[in-house]
């Protein structure tokens, strides 16, 4: 193993793009499957994506970010990784437990929204729409209103697109040495 992969270089590496790609893909899967646009599918069909991509990948990316000193994305990714891992494992929860779970995690998403508010439109979109998605989905679960569940799915899908776009814009800028996709 070369020295380049250890020490300061490894600690300064940024896992933010990986985290936002994982968040984006998980929110897209959760959102699209929650809308009912794909016949015969539902939110439970996203469980494996939520567990591995959303749970494990986000959690690891979050730990990496925390180690590099990035408290915001480290907290966001580890917290959201825990959310997705728990959500995928709690498939048999009662209606009230599932609704409460979504509402409680909406508090984390709200904290992230407030913390990201000054970071620009994409940050506000990702976390703000995710917060709304959790609240609307929780209300849909608690009231057994499928239209609210579908609306929550659409909000999650748009939040996922915003997270994916943000990571893609950053990756292309890194790869091309200039901004290809607008972020402001």
């Amino acid at each position: 193993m070369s020295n380049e992969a250890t020490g300061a270089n490894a600690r300064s590496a940024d896992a933010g793009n990986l985290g936002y790609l994982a968040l984006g893909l998980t929110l897209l899967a959760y959102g699209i499957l929650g809308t009912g646009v794909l016949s015969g599918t539902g939110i439970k069909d996203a469980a494996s994506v939520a567990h591995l991509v959303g749970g494990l990948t986000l959690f690891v990316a979050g730990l990496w970010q925390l180690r590099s000193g990035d408290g915001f994305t480290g907290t966001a990714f580890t917290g959201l990784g825990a959310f997705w891992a728990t959500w995928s494992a709690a498939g048999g929860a009662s209606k009230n437990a599932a609704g409460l779970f979504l509402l409680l995690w909406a508090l984390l998403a709200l904290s992230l929204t407030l913390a990201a508010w000054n970071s620009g439109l994409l940050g506000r979109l990702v976390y703000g729409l995710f917060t709304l998605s959790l609240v609307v989905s929780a209300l849909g679960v608690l009231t057994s209103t499928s239209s609210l569940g579908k609306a929550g799915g659409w909000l999650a899908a748009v939040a996922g697109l915003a997270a994916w776009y943000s990571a893609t814009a950053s990756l292309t800028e890194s790869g091309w040495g200039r901004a290809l996709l607008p972020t402001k």
Side-chain angles (χ1 to χ4, degrees):
M1 177 192 258
S2 86
N3 287 337
E4 302 241 341
T6 61
N9 288 337
R11 282 190 297 276
S12 66
D14 185 0
N17 292 329
L18 172 64
Y20 280 109
L21 284 172
L23 178 59
L25 293 174
T26 306
L27 281 169
L28 277 167
Y30 170 83
I32 290 171
L33 292 171
T35 64
V37 297
L38 297 176
S39 175
T41 61
I43 290 175
K44 290 184 180 188
D45 294 314
S48 60
V49 171
H51 184 69
L52 294 174
V53 178
L56 183 62
T57 304
L58 269 171
F59 195 82
V60 170
L63 291 177
W64 198 307
Q65 291 299 97
L66 287 171
R67 181 176 170 135
S68 72
D70 186 346
F72 173 75
T73 55
T75 300
F77 295 163
T78 53
L80 294 174
F83 165 77
W84 289 115
T86 306
W87 176 81
S88 70
S94 71
K95 175 179 93 163
N96 289 338
L100 177 62
F101 176 80
L102 292 170
L103 284 175
L104 290 175
W105 283 93
L107 291 174
L108 170 69
L110 178 61
S111 295
L112 296 173
T113 302
L114 295 173
W117 198 259
N118 203 26
S119 69
L121 179 62
L122 283 173
R124 289 192 295 268
L125 280 175
V126 170
Y127 296 109
L129 289 174
F130 184 49
T131 302
L132 289 175
S133 169
L134 290 171
V135 170
V136 170
S137 295
L139 293 174
V141 167
L142 292 169
T143 63
S144 299
T145 307
S146 65
S147 60
L148 284 175
K150 289 179 182 184
W154 284 113
L155 289 166
V158 174
L161 282 173
W164 170 82
Y165 181 88
S166 176
T168 302
S170 180
L171 284 169
T172 57
E173 184 174 341
S174 169
W176 288 71
R178 60 185 170 90
L180 293 178
L181 300 171
T183 58
K184 302 206 186 245

